[in-house]
Amino acid sequence: MSDGISRADVAHLANLARIDLSDAELDRLTPELTVILESVAQVAAIASADVPPTSHAVPLSNVFREDVVTPGLTPEQALAGAPAVEQQRFAVPRILGEDA
Amino acid sequence: MTATRTELVPFDAALETYDPAMGLEVHVELNTASKMFCGCSTVFGAEPNTQVCPTCLGLPGALPVVNGKAVESAIRIGLALNCSIAPWSRFARKNYFYPDMPKNFQTSQYDEPIAYDGWTEVTVETDEGPRVFRIDIERAHMEEDTGKSLHVGGSTGRIHGADHSLVDYNRAGIPLIEVVTKPILGAGKYAPLVARAYVASLRELVKALDVSDARMEQGSMRCDVNLSLAPSGSDVLGTRSETKNVNSLRSVERAVRYEVERHAGILDAGQKVVQETRHWHEDTGVTTSGREKSDAEDYRYFPEPDLVPVAPSDAWVEELRATLPEPPAERRARLQAEWGYSDLEMRDVVGAGAIDLIEATISAGATPTAARKWWLGDLARRANDTATPIDELGVTPTQVAEVQALVDAKRINDKLARQVFDGLVAGEGTPEEIVAARGLEVVSDDGALAAAVDRAIEANPDVADKIRDGKVAAAGALIGAVMKDMRGQADAGRVRELIIEKLS
Ligand SMILES: [Zn+2]
C-alpha cells in the first residue's frame, strides 16, 4: 500500500466503478490518490493488534427489527423515477451475459 | 478465445481417467414474513413492484435494518449443519452493476460469515450397499435476493437478441442463506448421486427447521454446481466450471454428470478447461457457456457502513440450539427401529414421502404394519395414478387409522376399505359415514352367510367332496364363491369357519 497506486490501478478501478476518466483526469488523480493512501497508511501504522478495526462510527451491535410487514410504495410511486416503464416493471438496457 | 468444442466422454469412461471434485452452493430463501432489511412483504407471486419500498429500491437516504428473525434462522441453519457461529459478524457490500440490484450492490457477507466450518452426512446407495459420505461445510452466510429480470425484444431466448430487460423488485431484499461446501472429493462415480443427496438433505433440513419452503420449482431454493476433474490419484484440483441455477434434484444429478463428461472431453483432447459460469438447460440436459471470469467478478467487497455488526451471545446461540429438531437422518433411524421396518421398507417409505403420514397414522392408533400397508399400497397408487402429492390426496392419517380400526373390528375387509378410500377422496365424509352411506359393512348375520355357504357347496359338489376328504386347502374356491355371492361384503375368515364346520 505504501508503494502508492499506479495509473493502471486507477484506470482499472474507474472501469469497475463505471466512471469514465480522461487521460488528463488519470494523470491528475493518480498522484492525488497516492497522497490519500499514504495518509491512510500512517493511521494503519499506529493501529496495533490490540485495536480492533473499526467500520462503524457508533459502537453498536445487534440492532434488529421485528419480522413484521410494513407498508411500502405503490407501484406508481416506485416507478415514478424509472427511466422507462413497461408491464409495471423498470425497463432498462440489457446487460450482456446477465443471468435471468 | 475459448477452446474449440470437444466431444463428451461417456461418464463411466471419464471416471476411469479422472476424479471429480465438486463444490455446491445452495441459496435458501427464508420464509420470513418481511424482507431482510425492510418491512416489505415476501409473499411469492404478487403483481410486479408491489412489494417494494425506498430501502429495497436503494433510494437515497433509505436506511436498512436487519430482520432479527432472519438472523435467528441463519444461526439455526448453521447449528444444524454443525457449524461454528461467529461471535462477531458483519455485512458487506458486493458491488456490481447489473440492474437486478437497484443499489448497485448486493448486501451480503464476505470474510465474516455468520456460520462456518460445519459438516453433514448423506447416505447414497452404492454397488456395495448404502454408504455414508461426509460433506464439509465451508460457510453459511446471510444475504439478500435480487430482483427478477424479464428479457424482451429477443427472438432466441434469454441470452441472444433481447434488447432490453424489465425488472421486478418484489424479490429484491428477500433474505437468503447461502450454504457453501468445501470441495467434495473421493465420491468418484457416485458424485452425481452424492450431489443430489446433499441438496435433498439440505432441503429436508431447512423444512424440518421451518425456516424455508425450499420449493426448488419456485426458486426458493437454488443450487450452483462447481465441478472440476483431476487425473485419478492426483491431489491437485483442476480448473472448475460454475453451473448456475440448477433447480431440481434430478437436474443437480444430471448437471454433475454432464460436466464430468464435458470436462473429460476437453482434457482428453489436450485442451484447457476455461474457468467460467455456465447455464444449465433443463430441457436438453446440457450446460452452455455463460461469461468468463473477468473484471466483472471483482466485486470490491467492503463492510456495509449502514448496518451494525451481528454479535450473537453464547446464551442466544444456546437458546437457538435448544430449538433444533431431531436431525432428519437420526429421526429416520429412530422411527425405523420403533416401527420394525426393514431397510428396504424404510427406503420405500422415505421415497414415497410418507414418513410424516405414517408417523401420524400410528399415533392415531394404527399398527406400523397397517399404516405402511395403506400408505405405500392403495394410497401411494392413487397418488401416482393422479400425479397428486401423497399428502394432498384428501385422506388424513387419522382417517387411515379409522379405516384400519373398522377392518380390525371385522366390520369391513381390505377390499371394502378401498371403497372407503374412494369415498374419502371424493369428500363423502368420515369413514363411518361412508360405510353407512355406501352400505359397505360386511354381513355378520350368520344366517345370511350360512345360506350363501350352502349355495356355494351345492354349486361346487366336487370341491365340497375334497374338503370332506380333509383337503382343507380347497376351501379357497368355496370362499371365493361365497364372497362373490355376498358382493365382497363378508368376513372371509368367518366364511371359512362356516365352510369347515359344515363339511367336517
Ligand atoms: Zn422494501
Side-chain angles (χ1 to χ4, degrees):
Chain A
M1 186 182 275
S2 57
D3 293 342
I5 188 165
S6 72
R7 195 174 185 279
D9 289 337
V10 177
H12 175 66
L13 285 173
N15 179 46
L16 287 176
R18 302 289 197 274
I19 300 171
D20 195 11
L21 294 182
S22 66
D23 281 353
E25 284 169 318
L26 283 175
D27 287 342
R28 180 168 59 79
L29 283 169
T30 302
E32 279 184 12
L33 280 168
T34 300
V35 171
I36 292 169
L37 286 175
E38 279 167 359
S39 307
V40 173
Q42 285 178 10
V43 178
I46 294 164
S48 54
D50 58 339
V51 181
T54 305
S55 57
H56 298 81
V58 283
L60 280 177
S61 62
N62 296 341
V63 176
F64 302 132
R65 19 174 293 276
E66 290 287 307
D67 181 27
V68 173
V69 175
T70 52
L73 300 174
T74 64
E76 293 72 29
Q77 289 170 324
L79 293 160
V85 176
E86 213 177 300
Q87 299 173 33
Q88 204 167 300
R89 292 171 170 89
F90 292 80
V92 295
R94 204 185 69 84
I95 290 193
L96 202 70
E98 181 189 343
D99 290 337
Chain B
M1 175 182 73
T2 46
T4 50
R5 223 189 137 125
T6 50
E7 294 296 315
L8 300 180
V9 172
F11 186 75
D12 292 337
L15 266 294
E16 284 169 18
T17 326
Y18 304 103
D19 287 335
M22 298 186 290
L24 298 166
E25 297 175 12
V26 179
H27 287 89
V28 179
E29 227 178 47
L30 298 180
N31 60 2
T32 52
S34 66
K35 291 187 179 179
M36 188 78 203
F37 304 114
C38 62
C40 291
S41 167
T42 58
V43 172
F44 180 79
E47 289 298 305
N49 295 305
T50 53
Q51 295 170 175
V52 293
C53 74
T55 300
C56 55
L57 287 178
L59 299 184
L63 270 181
V65 185
V66 175
N67 182 336
K69 172 92 184 296
V71 176
E72 209 173 275
S73 299
I75 294 174
R76 292 176 75 230
I77 290 173
L79 290 172
L81 290 170
N82 304 295
C83 288
S84 301
I85 302 302
W88 177 265
S89 165
R90 282 182 299 185
F91 289 96
R93 290 189 181 183
K94 177 182 180 181
N95 297 281
Y96 68 96
F97 290 93
Y98 289 152
D100 61 6
M101 276 321 272
K103 302 185 289 191
N104 285 345
F105 63 84
Q106 179 186 29
T107 307
S108 181
Q109 295 198 282
Y110 184 49
D111 51 355
E112 298 175 0
I114 184 83
Y116 58 95
D117 279 351
W119 57 270
T120 188
E121 285 178 342
V122 299
T123 307
V124 164
E125 202 62 37
T126 68
D127 297 341
E128 298 83 38
R131 183 174 144 200
V132 174
F133 290 84
R134 179 183 161 112
I135 313 284
D136 287 313
I137 305 296
E138 170 92 30
R139 58 190 281 155
H141 71 249
M142 301 180 279
E143 61 183 31
E144 57 180 334
D145 211 344
T146 59
K148 252 185 183 164
S149 304
L150 194 69
H151 303 302
V152 293
S155 51
T156 54
R158 65 173 178 172
I159 298 301
H160 299 290
D163 64 3
H164 63 292
S165 302
L166 302 179
V167 196
D168 167 15
Y169 291 116
N170 283 350
R171 199 179 67 182
I174 290 184
L176 284 185
I177 304 301
E178 179 173 348
V179 181
V180 181
T181 66
K182 292 185 175 157
I184 303 167
L185 307 167
K189 68 174 177 173
Y190 300 112
L193 292 177
V194 169
R196 179 188 180 135
Y198 166 71
V199 178
S201 80
L202 202 52
R203 190 176 65 166
E204 194 177 24
L205 185 128
V206 297
K207 281 184 172 177
L209 289 169
D210 195 23
V211 296
S212 173
D213 303 333
R215 288 182 192 267
M216 296 187 84
E217 72 286 358
Q218 286 185 359
S220 61
M221 182 164 168
R222 313 194 281 274
C223 183
D224 297 346
V225 175
N226 299 340
L227 187 122
S228 66
L229 293 185
S232 297
S234 155
D235 52 4
V236 180
L237 293 178
T239 304
R240 71 173 192 268
S241 59
E242 303 175 7
T243 304
K244 298 286 178 192
N245 291 329
V246 187
N247 290 338
S248 72
L249 294 179
R250 183 164 166 263
S251 292
V252 169
E253 182 181 336
R254 289 166 78 207
V256 170
R257 219 180 152 84
Y258 179 82
E259 281 297 284
V260 167
E261 295 180 340
R262 189 181 68 85
H263 282 230
I266 295 169
L267 297 171
D268 276 3
Q271 297 179 5
K272 280 191 169 152
V273 173
V274 181
Q275 185 174 346
E276 62 181 355
T277 297
R278 296 187 68 85
H279 297 295
W280 168 250
H281 301 271
E282 182 90 43
D283 46 351
T284 47
V286 305
T287 66
T288 56
S289 179
R291 52 174 190 261
E292 278 186 59
K293 285 280 174 188
S294 69
D295 281 355
E297 307 284 315
D298 187 346
Y299 294 121
R300 295 164 299 134
Y301 283 94
F302 63 85
E304 164 59 85
D306 287 346
L307 292 167
V308 301
V310 175
S313 66
D314 287 351
W316 188 27
V317 171
E318 289 317 308
E319 199 178 297
L320 292 174
R321 195 192 301 279
T323 69
L324 295 185
E326 184 179 20
E330 280 177 32
R331 173 169 175 249
R332 281 199 300 275
R334 174 178 61 81
L335 291 175
Q336 184 183 348
E338 277 175 27
W339 297 345
Y341 292 175
S342 70
D343 288 348
L344 189 68
E345 286 168 345
M346 195 63 190
R347 199 171 62 195
D348 289 345
V349 166
V350 172
I355 195 161
D356 294 338
L357 296 167
I358 288 179
E359 189 183 28
T361 306
I362 292 169
S363 37
T367 63
T369 309
R372 192 177 61 82
K373 177 183 73 181
W374 293 122
W375 285 111
L376 288 205
D378 188 66
L379 296 169
R381 196 157 42 244
R382 282 167 201 268
N384 199 33
D385 289 351
T386 56
T388 310
I390 194 161
D391 55 354
E392 290 173 22
L393 277 175
V395 179
T396 67
T398 310
Q399 289 169 335
V400 173
E402 283 168 21
V403 169
Q404 182 59 38
L406 291 169
V407 173
D408 292 340
K410 297 194 188 302
R411 291 179 51 198
I412 57 172
N413 54 33
D414 282 4
K415 211 167 166 186
L416 294 168
R418 292 196 186 98
Q419 294 185 49
V420 179
F421 288 129
D422 288 340
L424 288 169
V425 169
E428 293 172 15
T430 66
E432 281 284 359
E433 286 165 359
I434 293 163
V435 166
R438 291 192 171 208
L440 296 178
E441 198 143 1
V442 297
V443 176
S444 50
D445 168 7
D446 266 8
L449 277 185
V453 169
D454 287 341
R455 284 195 292 277
I457 290 171
E458 208 177 305
N460 302 279
D462 45 335
V463 179
D465 283 341
K466 280 186 192 165
I467 299 168
R468 284 195 192 91
D469 291 347
K471 292 185 181 125
V472 182
L478 289 187
I479 296 169
V482 173
M483 294 302 283
K484 200 174 168 196
D485 192 1
M486 303 296 294
R487 282 176 300 146
Q489 291 178 236
D491 171 13
R494 181 64 193 138
V495 171
R496 183 187 172 82
E497 282 169 16
L498 286 173
I499 291 168
I500 307 288
E501 267 172 38
K502 282 182 188 290
L503 297 178
S504 53

